[in-house]
Amino acid sequence: MMDQFLTNIEGKAFRMAEIATGNRDEALDIVQEAMFALVKNYSDRQELEWGPLFHRILQSKIRDWYRRSTVKRRLIAWWKTEPQGQGEQSVEEVHALVDKRNRGPLQQLQSDKVTEKLIIAIKALPLRQQQAFMLRAWEGLSVKETAQAMSCSEGSIKTHYARALSVLRKKIEADWS
């Protein structure tokens, strides 16, 4: 049962972590750590509890990564030796993660452009808005489940999600105008 759950959640969890970090290797590490923590600490729980628990662990790991990254950036800026291009990923790699359906060239090109713009817009969101959007829109979690996963109130989730949707709508409308 747990193996099937992890198999089903792996792809979406990776996309969430990759969008949050902008780094494929870091995203893989975060997802693996979250999966390991779920199995180690919660495998005895009921199957219905695994989803919210996993997402709470995943979001915690992403926040930890942000904290560590902030410290690293400060140290690197202080030493003025920041390497260029770390954490960057080609558009083709992102598209391969987002959409694997076979379609015609025109449909694929149009979809790729929309997907690229959406991912850029999601990456530009503040972390909490990004997390709320990803959990609600991509994972389909309820407000209550999202609040549990993000360790905050349901009201905060509604606010973060509404703000994320507003920003994304404005961005998409501006791009189509």
Side-chain angles (χ1 to χ4, degrees):
M1 289 288 223
M2 179 65 82
D3 289 340
Q4 185 64 37
F5 170 79
L6 294 175
T7 300
N8 291 340
I9 199 97
E10 179 180 31
K12 288 182 180 180
F14 174 76
R15 278 180 267 164
M16 287 177 147
E18 191 278 328
I19 287 172
T21 64
N23 183 301
R24 185 178 180 95
D25 294 332
E26 294 289 344
L28 284 171
D29 288 344
I30 288 169
V31 172
Q32 287 176 346
E33 288 174 16
M35 288 179 163
F36 180 74
L38 179 72
V39 171
K40 180 180 176 189
N41 299 316
Y42 301 107
S43 60
D44 60 333
R45 297 281 184 103
Q46 292 181 2
E47 189 174 349
L48 291 174
E49 295 179 71
W50 292 343
L53 286 168
F54 175 77
H55 287 294
R56 185 175 192 160
I57 295 166
L58 180 65
Q59 296 307 319
S60 177
K61 298 285 183 196
I62 290 170
R63 282 191 301 276
D64 291 346
W65 179 87
Y66 266 94
R67 287 185 200 110
R68 285 190 312 270
S69 295
T70 301
V71 171
K72 285 179 189 177
R73 280 193 301 274
R74 287 180 186 157
L75 288 173
I76 289 171
W78 187 74
W79 284 100
K80 297 182 185 204
T81 59
E82 185 172 1
Q84 296 296 318
Q86 259 192 340
E88 294 179 5
Q89 191 170 8
S90 72
V91 173
E92 293 80 18
E93 290 174 315
V94 173
H95 290 308
L97 295 174
V98 175
D99 192 1
K100 295 183 179 180
R101 294 174 290 182
N102 289 328
R103 291 169 291 162
L106 184 58
Q107 289 174 320
Q108 183 66 39
L109 179 62
Q110 193 173 24
S111 177
D112 288 351
K113 287 180 181 179
V114 170
T115 301
E116 180 180 345
K117 288 178 182 181
L118 181 60
I119 288 174
I120 290 168
I122 292 170
K123 284 182 178 182
L125 291 172
L127 178 62
R128 299 298 277 176
Q129 289 179 23
Q130 186 183 99
Q131 291 172 322
F133 176 78
M134 299 292 285
L135 290 171
R136 295 278 293 128
W138 284 27
E139 283 298 314
L141 296 183
S142 68
V143 172
K144 183 177 181 178
E145 291 169 330
T146 304
Q148 290 172 342
M150 291 178 59
S151 302
C152 63
S153 71
E154 291 180 27
S156 292
I157 295 303
K158 291 175 183 177
T159 300
H160 292 311
Y161 186 62
R163 289 178 180 166
L165 286 177
S166 176
V167 169
L168 293 173
R169 281 186 187 126
K170 287 177 185 174
K171 177 68 177 156
I172 289 169
E173 288 171 4
D175 286 345
W176 289 106
S177 303

